[in-house]
Short mmCIF file of all heavy atoms in Angstrom, two decimals:
data_model
loop_
_atom_site.label_atom_id
_atom_site.label_comp_id
_atom_site.label_asym_id
_atom_site.label_seq_id
_atom_site.Cartn_x
_atom_site.Cartn_y
_atom_site.Cartn_z
N MET A 1 0.82 -1.23 -0.01
CA MET A 1 0.02 0.01 -0.10
C MET A 1 0.82 1.20 -0.05
O MET A 1 1.79 1.38 0.87
CB MET A 1 -0.76 0.04 1.29
CG MET A 1 -1.99 1.01 1.22
SD MET A 1 -3.40 0.47 0.36
CE MET A 1 -4.13 -0.74 1.46
N ASP A 2 0.72 2.05 -0.99
CA ASP A 2 1.51 3.41 -1.01
C ASP A 2 0.91 4.35 0.04
O ASP A 2 -0.15 4.73 0.05
CB ASP A 2 1.45 3.99 -2.37
CG ASP A 2 2.40 3.20 -3.36
OD1 ASP A 2 3.11 2.40 -2.84
OD2 ASP A 2 2.17 3.45 -4.50
N ARG A 3 1.84 4.82 0.81
CA ARG A 3 1.45 5.80 1.93
C ARG A 3 2.36 7.04 1.83
O ARG A 3 3.62 6.83 1.74
CB ARG A 3 1.64 5.16 3.28
CG ARG A 3 0.54 3.99 3.47
CD ARG A 3 -0.76 4.42 3.28
NE ARG A 3 -1.74 3.38 3.86
CZ ARG A 3 -3.01 3.45 3.78
NH1 ARG A 3 -3.57 4.48 3.17
NH2 ARG A 3 -3.80 2.49 4.34
N HIS A 4 1.97 8.21 2.09
CA HIS A 4 2.69 9.46 2.14
C HIS A 4 3.53 9.52 3.32
O HIS A 4 3.05 9.10 4.51
CB HIS A 4 1.86 10.68 1.98
CG HIS A 4 1.18 10.79 0.66
ND1 HIS A 4 -0.07 10.42 0.45
CD2 HIS A 4 1.63 11.17 -0.48
CE1 HIS A 4 -0.43 10.57 -0.92
NE2 HIS A 4 0.72 11.04 -1.43
N ILE A 5 4.78 10.06 3.15
CA ILE A 5 5.62 10.30 4.41
C ILE A 5 5.19 11.69 4.98
O ILE A 5 5.07 12.69 4.25
CB ILE A 5 7.04 10.44 3.98
CG1 ILE A 5 7.60 9.19 3.30
CG2 ILE A 5 7.90 10.87 5.08
CD1 ILE A 5 8.96 9.26 2.71
N ILE A 6 4.84 11.64 6.19
CA ILE A 6 4.38 12.90 6.83
C ILE A 6 5.39 13.42 7.96
O ILE A 6 5.32 14.64 8.33
CB ILE A 6 3.09 12.76 7.57
CG1 ILE A 6 3.03 11.68 8.63
CG2 ILE A 6 1.99 12.52 6.56
CD1 ILE A 6 1.83 11.59 9.47
N ASP A 7 6.39 12.63 8.28
CA ASP A 7 7.39 13.03 9.30
C ASP A 7 8.52 12.04 9.43
O ASP A 7 8.43 10.90 8.78
CB ASP A 7 6.68 13.20 10.61
CG ASP A 7 7.55 14.17 11.59
OD1 ASP A 7 8.42 14.79 11.21
OD2 ASP A 7 7.03 14.27 12.79
N TYR A 8 9.50 12.41 10.18
CA TYR A 8 10.59 11.51 10.47
C TYR A 8 11.02 11.61 11.87
O TYR A 8 10.81 12.59 12.60
CB TYR A 8 11.91 11.96 9.62
CG TYR A 8 11.79 12.05 8.13
CD1 TYR A 8 11.33 13.31 7.60
CD2 TYR A 8 11.87 10.97 7.37
CE1 TYR A 8 11.22 13.48 6.27
CE2 TYR A 8 11.73 11.14 5.88
CZ TYR A 8 11.44 12.40 5.39
OH TYR A 8 11.17 12.51 4.10
N HIS A 9 11.64 10.50 12.31
CA HIS A 9 12.34 10.58 13.59
C HIS A 9 13.51 9.56 13.58
O HIS A 9 13.66 8.77 12.66
CB HIS A 9 11.44 10.33 14.78
CG HIS A 9 11.00 9.00 14.80
ND1 HIS A 9 9.57 8.66 14.59
CD2 HIS A 9 11.47 7.78 15.16
CE1 HIS A 9 9.32 7.44 14.63
NE2 HIS A 9 10.54 6.84 14.91
N LEU A 10 14.48 9.77 14.53
CA LEU A 10 15.63 8.85 14.72
C LEU A 10 15.33 7.85 15.66
O LEU A 10 14.78 8.00 16.74
CB LEU A 10 16.80 9.71 15.19
CG LEU A 10 17.57 10.57 14.07
CD1 LEU A 10 18.60 11.40 14.83
CD2 LEU A 10 18.21 9.58 12.98
N ASP A 11 15.66 6.44 15.36
CA ASP A 11 15.34 5.58 16.38
C ASP A 11 16.58 5.43 17.33
O ASP A 11 17.49 6.26 17.26
CB ASP A 11 15.21 4.20 15.70
CG ASP A 11 16.41 3.51 14.96
OD1 ASP A 11 17.51 4.12 15.21
OD2 ASP A 11 16.30 2.43 14.41
N ALA A 12 16.65 4.53 18.28
CA ALA A 12 17.60 4.49 19.24
C ALA A 12 19.06 4.20 18.63
O ALA A 12 20.12 4.49 19.37
CB ALA A 12 17.31 3.26 20.21
N LYS A 13 19.10 3.67 17.47
CA LYS A 13 20.32 3.46 16.81
C LYS A 13 20.84 4.51 15.89
O LYS A 13 21.67 4.36 15.03
CB LYS A 13 20.27 2.07 16.09
CG LYS A 13 20.31 0.89 17.11
CD LYS A 13 20.67 -0.37 16.32
CE LYS A 13 19.36 -1.28 16.31
NZ LYS A 13 19.49 -2.43 15.48
N SER A 14 20.04 5.68 15.92
CA SER A 14 20.33 6.74 15.04
C SER A 14 20.06 6.48 13.60
O SER A 14 20.75 7.06 12.75
CB SER A 14 21.85 7.29 15.14
OG SER A 14 21.89 7.83 16.56
N ASP A 15 19.13 5.61 13.40
CA ASP A 15 18.64 5.25 11.82
C ASP A 15 17.41 6.09 11.73
O ASP A 15 16.56 6.19 12.78
CB ASP A 15 18.34 3.87 11.83
CG ASP A 15 19.61 2.98 11.61
OD1 ASP A 15 20.58 3.49 10.98
OD2 ASP A 15 19.58 1.83 12.12
N TRP A 16 17.21 6.67 10.62
CA TRP A 16 16.07 7.46 10.33
C TRP A 16 14.77 6.63 10.05
O TRP A 16 14.95 5.52 9.41
CB TRP A 16 16.28 8.36 8.99
CG TRP A 16 17.10 9.53 9.37
CD1 TRP A 16 18.49 9.73 9.20
CD2 TRP A 16 16.68 10.69 10.17
NE1 TRP A 16 18.80 10.95 9.75
CE2 TRP A 16 17.77 11.53 10.41
CE3 TRP A 16 15.42 10.96 10.79
CZ2 TRP A 16 17.60 12.79 10.96
CZ3 TRP A 16 15.37 12.30 11.30
CH2 TRP A 16 16.44 13.15 11.50
N VAL A 17 13.85 6.97 10.55
CA VAL A 17 12.47 6.30 10.43
C VAL A 17 11.46 7.24 9.84
O VAL A 17 11.38 8.40 10.35
CB VAL A 17 12.03 5.80 11.75
CG1 VAL A 17 10.64 5.09 11.76
CG2 VAL A 17 13.06 4.87 12.51
N ALA A 18 10.77 6.85 8.75
CA ALA A 18 9.81 7.72 8.23
C ALA A 18 8.45 7.41 8.90
O ALA A 18 8.14 6.20 9.19
CB ALA A 18 9.62 7.46 6.85
N VAL A 19 7.74 8.51 9.28
CA VAL A 19 6.38 8.23 9.76
C VAL A 19 5.47 8.43 8.66
O VAL A 19 5.36 9.39 7.80
CB VAL A 19 6.06 9.38 10.87
CG1 VAL A 19 4.63 9.24 11.43
CG2 VAL A 19 7.07 9.34 11.99
N LEU A 20 4.65 7.48 8.44
CA LEU A 20 3.69 7.37 7.22
C LEU A 20 2.31 7.83 7.76
O LEU A 20 1.86 7.75 8.86
CB LEU A 20 3.66 5.96 6.66
CG LEU A 20 4.96 5.42 6.20
CD1 LEU A 20 4.79 3.98 5.60
CD2 LEU A 20 5.65 6.44 5.24
N GLU A 21 1.50 8.33 6.74
CA GLU A 21 0.28 8.89 7.03
C GLU A 21 -0.73 7.90 7.65
O GLU A 21 -1.67 8.23 8.43
CB GLU A 21 -0.40 9.36 5.73
CG GLU A 21 -0.50 8.30 4.73
CD GLU A 21 -1.12 8.86 3.39
OE1 GLU A 21 -1.91 9.83 3.49
OE2 GLU A 21 -0.91 8.30 2.33
N CYS A 22 -0.44 6.59 7.39
CA CYS A 22 -1.24 5.55 8.01
C CYS A 22 -1.05 5.27 9.46
O CYS A 22 -1.77 4.53 10.11
CB CYS A 22 -1.12 4.24 7.19
SG CYS A 22 0.64 3.76 7.06
N GLY A 23 0.11 5.90 9.99
CA GLY A 23 0.39 5.54 11.37
C GLY A 23 1.38 4.59 11.61
O GLY A 23 1.68 4.22 12.78
N HIS A 24 1.95 4.03 10.58
CA HIS A 24 3.11 3.13 10.58
C HIS A 24 4.34 3.79 10.43
O HIS A 24 4.49 4.90 9.79
CB HIS A 24 2.86 2.11 9.52
CG HIS A 24 1.82 1.11 9.67
ND1 HIS A 24 0.94 0.75 8.70
CD2 HIS A 24 1.44 0.36 10.77
CE1 HIS A 24 0.09 -0.19 9.28
NE2 HIS A 24 0.41 -0.44 10.40
N PHE A 25 5.42 3.33 11.06
CA PHE A 25 6.73 3.67 10.89
C PHE A 25 7.58 2.80 9.92
O PHE A 25 7.35 1.60 9.81
CB PHE A 25 7.51 3.73 12.28
CG PHE A 25 6.98 4.58 13.28
CD1 PHE A 25 7.26 4.40 14.71
CD2 PHE A 25 6.08 5.59 12.98
CE1 PHE A 25 6.84 5.28 15.50
CE2 PHE A 25 5.55 6.34 13.94
CZ PHE A 25 5.94 6.18 15.31
N GLN A 26 8.46 3.40 9.21
CA GLN A 26 9.31 2.58 8.22
C GLN A 26 10.66 3.17 8.29
O GLN A 26 10.98 4.34 8.12
CB GLN A 26 8.66 2.52 6.97
CG GLN A 26 9.44 1.60 5.91
CD GLN A 26 8.77 1.51 4.53
OE1 GLN A 26 9.55 1.54 3.56
NE2 GLN A 26 7.50 1.20 4.66
N HIS A 27 11.64 2.20 8.51
CA HIS A 27 13.12 2.71 8.37
C HIS A 27 13.39 3.12 6.95
O HIS A 27 12.96 2.53 5.99
CB HIS A 27 14.01 1.56 8.83
CG HIS A 27 14.13 1.37 10.35
ND1 HIS A 27 13.50 0.47 11.07
CD2 HIS A 27 14.99 2.19 11.15
CE1 HIS A 27 13.92 0.68 12.35
NE2 HIS A 27 14.80 1.62 12.46
N VAL A 28 14.12 4.20 7.04
CA VAL A 28 14.58 4.66 5.61
C VAL A 28 16.16 4.92 5.78
O VAL A 28 16.74 6.04 5.79
CB VAL A 28 13.97 5.95 5.19
CG1 VAL A 28 12.58 5.63 4.64
CG2 VAL A 28 13.82 7.06 6.41
N ARG A 29 16.77 3.69 5.92
CA ARG A 29 18.31 3.79 6.06
C ARG A 29 19.01 4.11 4.76
O ARG A 29 18.61 3.78 3.76
CB ARG A 29 18.78 2.43 6.65
CG ARG A 29 18.25 2.05 7.97
CD ARG A 29 18.91 0.78 8.44
NE ARG A 29 18.36 0.40 9.72
CZ ARG A 29 17.32 -0.51 9.85
NH1 ARG A 29 16.71 -0.87 8.87
NH2 ARG A 29 16.97 -0.86 11.08
N HIS A 30 20.11 4.83 4.99
CA HIS A 30 21.12 4.98 3.94
C HIS A 30 22.35 4.01 4.27
O HIS A 30 23.14 4.36 5.17
CB HIS A 30 21.51 6.38 3.77
CG HIS A 30 22.52 6.63 2.62
ND1 HIS A 30 22.44 6.10 1.39
CD2 HIS A 30 23.70 7.33 2.73
CE1 HIS A 30 23.47 6.50 0.68
NE2 HIS A 30 24.27 7.18 1.43
N ASP A 31 22.50 2.92 3.66
CA ASP A 31 23.39 1.93 4.09
C ASP A 31 24.06 1.26 2.79
O ASP A 31 23.82 0.10 2.43
CB ASP A 31 22.72 0.81 4.88
CG ASP A 31 23.76 -0.08 5.43
OD1 ASP A 31 24.93 0.09 5.50
OD2 ASP A 31 23.35 -1.32 5.91
N PRO A 32 24.84 2.09 2.07
CA PRO A 32 25.41 1.67 0.76
C PRO A 32 26.38 0.56 1.04
O PRO A 32 26.98 0.42 2.03
CB PRO A 32 26.14 2.95 0.35
CG PRO A 32 26.37 3.73 1.52
CD PRO A 32 25.19 3.44 2.36
N PRO A 33 26.49 -0.35 0.03
CA PRO A 33 25.98 -0.37 -1.24
C PRO A 33 24.57 -1.02 -1.38
O PRO A 33 24.00 -1.06 -2.40
CB PRO A 33 26.97 -0.96 -2.11
CG PRO A 33 27.48 -2.17 -1.16
CD PRO A 33 27.49 -1.44 0.22
N TRP A 34 24.11 -1.54 -0.15
CA TRP A 34 22.86 -2.44 -0.33
C TRP A 34 21.59 -1.44 -0.36
O TRP A 34 20.68 -1.68 -1.13
CB TRP A 34 22.69 -3.24 0.94
CG TRP A 34 23.86 -4.29 1.02
CD1 TRP A 34 23.96 -5.36 0.30
CD2 TRP A 34 25.01 -4.19 1.76
NE1 TRP A 34 25.26 -5.94 0.46
CE2 TRP A 34 25.86 -5.18 1.37
CE3 TRP A 34 25.51 -3.24 2.64
CZ2 TRP A 34 27.14 -5.34 2.08
CZ3 TRP A 34 26.83 -3.30 3.16
CH2 TRP A 34 27.56 -4.42 2.88
N ILE A 35 21.59 -0.46 0.42
CA ILE A 35 20.48 0.54 0.58
C ILE A 35 21.00 1.89 0.20
O ILE A 35 21.82 2.46 0.97
CB ILE A 35 19.80 0.42 1.88
CG1 ILE A 35 19.44 -1.00 2.32
CG2 ILE A 35 18.56 1.28 2.03
CD1 ILE A 35 18.92 -1.23 3.69
N ASN A 36 20.58 2.45 -0.81
CA ASN A 36 21.03 3.78 -1.18
C ASN A 36 19.89 4.73 -1.09
O ASN A 36 19.11 4.98 -2.08
CB ASN A 36 21.59 3.75 -2.63
CG ASN A 36 23.11 3.49 -2.62
OD1 ASN A 36 23.89 4.28 -2.25
ND2 ASN A 36 23.45 2.23 -3.04
N ARG A 37 19.93 5.56 -0.10
CA ARG A 37 18.96 6.57 0.15
C ARG A 37 19.78 7.83 0.63
O ARG A 37 19.59 8.30 1.72
CB ARG A 37 17.97 6.27 1.22
CG ARG A 37 16.99 5.22 0.69
CD ARG A 37 15.86 5.30 1.76
NE ARG A 37 14.88 4.18 1.32
CZ ARG A 37 14.84 3.00 2.12
NH1 ARG A 37 15.80 2.90 2.97
NH2 ARG A 37 13.92 2.12 1.82
N PRO A 38 20.60 8.35 -0.28
CA PRO A 38 21.50 9.51 0.21
C PRO A 38 20.70 10.76 0.62
O PRO A 38 21.07 11.40 1.45
CB PRO A 38 22.28 9.79 -1.03
CG PRO A 38 21.70 9.27 -2.22
CD PRO A 38 20.93 7.87 -1.64
N TRP A 39 19.39 10.80 0.14
CA TRP A 39 18.49 11.95 0.58
C TRP A 39 18.21 11.99 2.02
O TRP A 39 17.94 12.98 2.66
CB TRP A 39 17.22 11.93 -0.24
CG TRP A 39 16.47 10.74 -0.07
CD1 TRP A 39 16.55 9.59 -0.96
CD2 TRP A 39 15.46 10.30 0.90
NE1 TRP A 39 15.57 8.66 -0.50
CE2 TRP A 39 14.96 9.02 0.53
CE3 TRP A 39 14.98 11.00 2.05
CZ2 TRP A 39 14.05 8.39 1.42
CZ3 TRP A 39 14.07 10.40 2.81
CH2 TRP A 39 13.58 8.99 2.45
N VAL A 40 18.30 10.70 2.64
CA VAL A 40 17.89 10.72 4.12
C VAL A 40 18.97 11.34 4.99
O VAL A 40 18.66 11.64 6.17
CB VAL A 40 17.58 9.19 4.57
CG1 VAL A 40 18.84 8.42 4.86
CG2 VAL A 40 16.58 9.21 5.75
N ALA A 41 20.19 11.42 4.43
CA ALA A 41 21.23 11.95 5.29
C ALA A 41 21.23 13.57 5.49
O ALA A 41 21.95 13.95 6.49
CB ALA A 41 22.59 11.52 4.60
N THR A 42 20.43 14.20 4.79
CA THR A 42 20.48 15.78 4.93
C THR A 42 19.05 16.13 5.17
O THR A 42 18.01 15.64 4.84
CB THR A 42 20.95 16.37 3.59
OG1 THR A 42 19.95 16.08 2.61
CG2 THR A 42 22.31 15.94 3.23
N PRO A 43 18.98 17.23 5.92
CA PRO A 43 17.66 17.87 6.25
C PRO A 43 16.91 18.28 4.97
O PRO A 43 15.69 18.01 4.82
CB PRO A 43 17.90 19.18 7.11
CG PRO A 43 19.24 18.96 7.56
CD PRO A 43 20.06 18.02 6.74
N GLU A 44 17.67 18.78 4.02
CA GLU A 44 17.08 19.13 2.70
C GLU A 44 16.56 17.89 1.97
O GLU A 44 15.46 18.08 1.43
CB GLU A 44 18.09 19.86 1.80
CG GLU A 44 18.64 21.17 2.28
CD GLU A 44 19.66 21.00 3.36
OE1 GLU A 44 20.20 19.86 3.54
OE2 GLU A 44 20.13 22.02 3.96
N GLY A 45 17.27 16.86 1.97
CA GLY A 45 16.81 15.64 1.31
C GLY A 45 15.59 15.06 1.91
O GLY A 45 14.65 14.67 1.31
N ARG A 46 15.62 14.95 3.26
CA ARG A 46 14.46 14.52 4.01
C ARG A 46 13.09 15.46 3.60
O ARG A 46 12.12 14.96 3.48
CB ARG A 46 14.55 14.48 5.38
CG ARG A 46 15.61 13.34 5.82
CD ARG A 46 15.76 13.11 7.32
NE ARG A 46 16.15 14.25 8.12
CZ ARG A 46 17.50 14.64 8.27
NH1 ARG A 46 18.43 13.86 7.73
NH2 ARG A 46 17.67 15.73 8.92
N ALA A 47 13.46 16.80 3.66
CA ALA A 47 12.25 17.71 3.40
C ALA A 47 11.76 17.40 1.97
O ALA A 47 10.62 17.40 1.76
CB ALA A 47 12.76 19.11 3.62
N SER A 48 12.70 17.11 1.05
CA SER A 48 12.23 16.93 -0.35
C SER A 48 11.45 15.67 -0.49
O SER A 48 10.64 15.56 -1.48
CB SER A 48 13.43 16.87 -1.26
OG SER A 48 14.16 15.59 -1.21
N MET A 49 11.55 14.71 0.49
CA MET A 49 10.86 13.43 0.41
C MET A 49 9.42 13.46 1.16
O MET A 49 8.67 12.63 1.00
CB MET A 49 11.66 12.35 0.78
CG MET A 49 12.63 11.91 -0.18
SD MET A 49 12.07 11.29 -1.72
CE MET A 49 11.40 9.68 -1.19
N LEU A 50 9.31 14.55 1.99
CA LEU A 50 7.97 14.65 2.69
C LEU A 50 6.84 14.72 1.54
O LEU A 50 7.00 15.47 0.58
CB LEU A 50 7.96 16.00 3.47
CG LEU A 50 8.67 15.90 4.92
CD1 LEU A 50 8.57 17.28 5.46
CD2 LEU A 50 7.86 14.89 5.75
N GLY A 51 5.79 13.98 1.81
CA GLY A 51 4.72 14.02 0.85
C GLY A 51 4.89 13.01 -0.25
O GLY A 51 3.96 12.60 -0.97
N GLN A 52 6.09 12.43 -0.42
CA GLN A 52 6.29 11.38 -1.40
C GLN A 52 5.75 9.99 -0.71
O GLN A 52 5.50 9.92 0.44
CB GLN A 52 7.83 11.08 -1.65
CG GLN A 52 8.47 12.32 -2.24
CD GLN A 52 7.85 12.68 -3.55
OE1 GLN A 52 7.72 11.96 -4.52
NE2 GLN A 52 7.35 13.99 -3.64
N VAL A 53 5.67 8.93 -1.64
CA VAL A 53 5.10 7.72 -1.08
C VAL A 53 6.17 6.61 -0.87
O VAL A 53 7.09 6.54 -1.66
CB VAL A 53 3.97 7.14 -1.97
CG1 VAL A 53 2.77 8.22 -1.95
CG2 VAL A 53 4.46 6.92 -3.38
N LEU A 54 5.93 5.91 0.15
CA LEU A 54 6.69 4.55 0.36
C LEU A 54 5.58 3.47 0.31
O LEU A 54 4.40 3.65 0.88
CB LEU A 54 7.40 4.60 1.64
CG LEU A 54 8.52 5.61 1.92
CD1 LEU A 54 8.96 5.39 3.22
CD2 LEU A 54 9.63 5.21 0.90
N ALA A 55 6.02 2.38 -0.13
CA ALA A 55 5.16 1.10 -0.04
C ALA A 55 5.18 0.65 1.38
O ALA A 55 6.22 0.22 1.92
CB ALA A 55 5.65 0.04 -1.00
N CYS A 56 3.95 0.62 2.03
CA CYS A 56 3.81 0.22 3.43
C CYS A 56 3.42 -1.16 3.51
O CYS A 56 2.32 -1.51 3.30
CB CYS A 56 2.86 1.26 4.20
SG CYS A 56 2.86 0.75 6.04
N ARG A 57 4.44 -2.08 3.88
CA ARG A 57 4.13 -3.47 4.02
C ARG A 57 3.28 -3.78 5.24
O ARG A 57 2.54 -4.69 5.31
CB ARG A 57 5.40 -4.32 4.08
CG ARG A 57 5.77 -4.85 2.79
CD ARG A 57 7.02 -5.75 2.87
NE ARG A 57 8.04 -5.14 2.09
CZ ARG A 57 9.36 -5.26 2.41
NH1 ARG A 57 9.78 -5.95 3.55
NH2 ARG A 57 10.33 -4.82 1.64
N LYS A 58 3.43 -2.89 6.27
CA LYS A 58 2.60 -3.16 7.35
C LYS A 58 1.13 -2.93 7.15
O LYS A 58 0.28 -3.68 7.72
CB LYS A 58 3.11 -2.12 8.55
CG LYS A 58 4.36 -2.42 9.10
CD LYS A 58 4.85 -1.41 10.12
CE LYS A 58 6.23 -1.72 10.59
NZ LYS A 58 6.75 -0.62 11.37
N CYS A 59 0.76 -1.99 6.18
CA CYS A 59 -0.58 -1.89 5.96
C CYS A 59 -1.18 -3.17 5.05
O CYS A 59 -2.13 -3.59 5.42
CB CYS A 59 -0.85 -0.67 5.00
SG CYS A 59 -1.11 0.84 5.87
N ASP A 60 -0.21 -3.56 4.21
CA ASP A 60 -0.56 -4.91 3.53
C ASP A 60 -0.96 -5.98 4.44
O ASP A 60 -1.65 -6.96 4.24
CB ASP A 60 0.49 -5.23 2.45
CG ASP A 60 0.61 -4.16 1.46
OD1 ASP A 60 -0.26 -3.44 1.20
OD2 ASP A 60 1.82 -4.08 0.85
N ASP A 61 -0.17 -6.05 5.62
CA ASP A 61 -0.22 -7.13 6.50
C ASP A 61 -1.30 -6.74 7.62
O ASP A 61 -1.52 -7.52 8.52
CB ASP A 61 1.06 -7.35 7.24
CG ASP A 61 2.11 -7.95 6.22
OD1 ASP A 61 1.66 -8.44 5.23
OD2 ASP A 61 3.35 -7.93 6.55
N ASN A 62 -1.88 -5.62 7.45
CA ASN A 62 -2.92 -5.17 8.57
C ASN A 62 -2.36 -5.18 9.91
O ASN A 62 -2.83 -5.58 10.97
CB ASN A 62 -4.13 -6.08 8.63
CG ASN A 62 -5.10 -5.79 7.49
OD1 ASN A 62 -5.25 -4.66 7.07
ND2 ASN A 62 -5.52 -6.77 6.83
N ALA A 63 -0.94 -4.64 10.03
CA ALA A 63 -0.18 -4.64 11.07
C ALA A 63 -0.77 -3.51 12.05
O ALA A 63 -1.33 -2.55 11.56
CB ALA A 63 1.22 -4.36 10.95
N PRO A 64 -0.70 -3.70 13.43
CA PRO A 64 -1.07 -2.66 14.36
C PRO A 64 -0.35 -1.33 14.07
O PRO A 64 0.84 -1.41 13.68
CB PRO A 64 -0.81 -3.12 15.79
CG PRO A 64 -0.23 -4.57 15.56
CD PRO A 64 0.02 -4.76 14.13
N LEU A 65 -0.93 -0.24 14.45
CA LEU A 65 -0.37 1.06 14.14
C LEU A 65 0.93 1.25 15.03
O LEU A 65 0.86 0.87 16.23
CB LEU A 65 -1.25 2.23 14.46
CG LEU A 65 -2.44 2.19 13.38
CD1 LEU A 65 -3.24 3.45 13.64
CD2 LEU A 65 -2.03 2.11 11.92
N ASP A 66 1.97 1.90 14.52
CA ASP A 66 2.99 2.40 15.43
C ASP A 66 2.71 3.61 16.09
O ASP A 66 3.21 3.86 17.16
CB ASP A 66 4.31 2.51 14.60
CG ASP A 66 4.76 1.27 13.85
OD1 ASP A 66 4.87 0.17 14.55
OD2 ASP A 66 5.00 1.22 12.58
N ARG A 67 1.84 4.44 15.54
CA ARG A 67 1.52 5.71 16.21
C ARG A 67 -0.01 5.96 15.85
O ARG A 67 -0.29 5.77 14.57
CB ARG A 67 2.49 6.79 15.82
CG ARG A 67 2.13 7.98 16.65
CD ARG A 67 3.05 9.13 16.11
NE ARG A 67 2.59 9.70 14.86
CZ ARG A 67 3.00 10.78 14.21
NH1 ARG A 67 3.98 11.44 14.93
NH2 ARG A 67 2.49 11.30 13.27
N LYS A 68 -0.69 6.43 16.79
CA LYS A 68 -2.01 6.84 16.55
C LYS A 68 -2.01 8.13 15.57
O LYS A 68 -1.11 8.98 15.77
CB LYS A 68 -2.82 7.14 17.71
CG LYS A 68 -3.18 5.81 18.41
CD LYS A 68 -4.24 6.12 19.36
CE LYS A 68 -4.77 4.78 19.94
NZ LYS A 68 -4.34 4.52 21.27
N ARG A 69 -2.95 8.24 14.63
CA ARG A 69 -3.01 9.45 13.87
C ARG A 69 -3.51 10.59 14.71
O ARG A 69 -4.35 10.37 15.50
CB ARG A 69 -3.90 9.20 12.62
CG ARG A 69 -3.14 8.90 11.37
CD ARG A 69 -3.97 9.00 10.19
NE ARG A 69 -4.70 7.72 10.00
CZ ARG A 69 -5.41 7.47 8.87
NH1 ARG A 69 -5.48 8.22 7.93
NH2 ARG A 69 -5.99 6.27 8.79
ZN1 LIG B 1 0.82 1.54 6.86
#
């Protein structure tokens, strides 16, 4: 299910987590060469991705919300 990114936060390991409109969280790590999301490393890059969509697997699985809307 495609969901818009509405916010971000850092987890306990300083990895970036996107907050999706559905109330689920999703890690958006930049961990080259396997995971390349250079945009997540800068405030400008993160801002540019606000409102973009990520495929939310938790929605597909009807997972409980990570955060209430
Ligand atoms: Zn979701």
Side-chain angles (χ1 to χ4, degrees):
M1 191 83 72
D2 284 348
R3 298 298 196 185
H4 291 98
I5 300 172
I6 58 171
D7 200 5
Y8 304 94
H9 63 254
L10 285 168
D11 74 2
K13 289 191 247 171
S14 295
D15 285 324
W16 282 102
V17 178
V19 179
L20 303 179
E21 59 181 331
C22 53
H24 289 132
F25 297 165
Q26 184 171 135
H27 275 102
V28 281
R29 293 186 184 89
H30 179 48
D31 187 19
W34 299 278
I35 307 173
N36 267 290
R37 291 195 185 94
W39 55 266
V40 84
T42 65
E44 295 81 9
R46 289 190 299 277
S48 76
M49 285 296 284
L50 279 176
Q52 301 298 306
V53 294
L54 290 176
C56 186
R57 260 184 244 148
K58 293 178 182 175
C59 275
D60 295 338
D61 293 342
N62 286 315
L65 295 185
D66 296 310
R67 188 184 76 173
K68 289 198 168 102
R69 264 193 274 192

